Amino acid sequence: EPEVTQTPSHQVTQMGQEVILRCVPISNHLYFYWYRQILGQKVEFLVSFYNNEISEKSEIFDDQFSVERPDGSNFTLKIRSTKLEDSAMYFCASSWWSTEAFFGQGTRLTVV
Amino acid sequence: SQQGEEDPQALSIQEGENATMNCSYKTSINNLQWYRQNSGRGLVHLILIRSNEREKHSGRLRVTLDTSKKSSSLLITASRAADTASYFCAMLTQGGSEKLVFGKGTKLTVNP
């Protein structure tokens, strides 16, 4: 069964550093997403990506964040100048149109 | 806010009992989905119910949707210890947005 894969599974970074979280969505899906979940809390929408551009973003997704689909298979989330409060699980997901989303296993980002 | 609200926030039952979790939301939806998350892991899609459907079954899962009350319920019958997880409802709203908006989740513990 096709699946969404995310790397790395765990990333530790110094405050102020830049990190890139990587995802390989399911190949024939149209929509790609990043979500975030601070430990023990709700799953928060960050951004959706369709037709090679951002289709929607939340208020969390400010200038510190960017997404890219550089080669038609990978989907990346870049976080510039990380802060302690960026520590969370980051989930990538993909979907067809108005169907269920398939989520990766997540990247646990720890900012120290 | 479009966010869903689940209740109860936590539920503890004995193996073999049924577990019912409820979700309420505020806006018109295209569909409503239920996801499961084991501790620290990714989100696994369980079932999707469209706005024109009232009930759906999948194995031991039964989902109902009442769009007039803007609510849904997830019933897990004959629960097992392996069903212990957090369960989230997620709404795909109408109006062209393809983002899922998650509720806060119900933490289910099934005691052997």
Side-chain angles (χ1 to χ4, degrees), chain A residues 31 33 35 37 42-43 45 56 89 91 97-101 103-105 108, chain B residues 3 30-31 33 35 37 41-43 45 48 50 88 92 97-100 102:
Chain A
Y31 293 88
Y33 312 87
Y35 286 81
Q37 185 181 33
K42 61 188 178 185
V43 179
F45 169 77
E56 191 165 353
M89 280 289 281
F91 292 105
W97 182 72
S98 293
T99 62
E100 65 267 36
F103 283 77
Q105 287 297 308
R108 181 174 299 283
Chain B
Q3 189 172 342
N30 180 306
N31 63 57
Q33 304 177 30
Y35 287 81
Q37 184 181 37
R41 305 294 300 278
L43 293 146
H45 180 262
L48 179 155
R50 300 196 183 280
F88 295 88
L92 191 70
S97 170
E98 282 290 321
K99 74 178 185 189
L100 282 171
F102 280 80

Side-chain angles (χ1 to χ4, degrees), chain A residues 4 12 16 28-29 32 34 57 59 61 81 85-86 95-96 103-104 108 111:
Chain A
V4 175
V12 181
N28 64 342
H29 280 179
F32 312 105
W34 284 100
K57 59 183 181 179
E59 59 274 12
F61 194 89
S81 190
E85 53 265 38
D86 294 327
S95 71
W96 189 244
F103 283 77
R108 181 174 299 283
V111 182

Side-chain angles (χ1 to χ4, degrees), chain A residues 40-99:
Chain A
Q41 297 188 26
K42 61 188 178 185
V43 179
E44 299 175 294
F45 169 77
L46 291 178
V47 65
S48 59
F49 195 85
Y50 169 73
N51 203 25
N52 288 319
E53 60 183 24
I54 291 173
S55 57
E56 191 165 353
K57 59 183 181 179
S58 71
E59 59 274 12
I60 302 169
F61 194 89
D62 60 20
D63 292 344
Q64 187 193 2
F65 295 87
S66 62
V67 290
E68 215 175 37
R69 194 153 188 255
D71 57 12
S73 61
N74 293 288
F75 181 48
T76 62
L77 174 69
K78 182 187 289 185
I79 309 174
R80 286 178 282 275
S81 190
T82 49
K83 300 175 278 198
L84 294 177
E85 53 265 38
D86 294 327
S87 295
M89 280 289 281
Y90 288 82
F91 292 105
C92 173
S94 67
S95 71
W96 189 244
W97 182 72
S98 293
T99 62

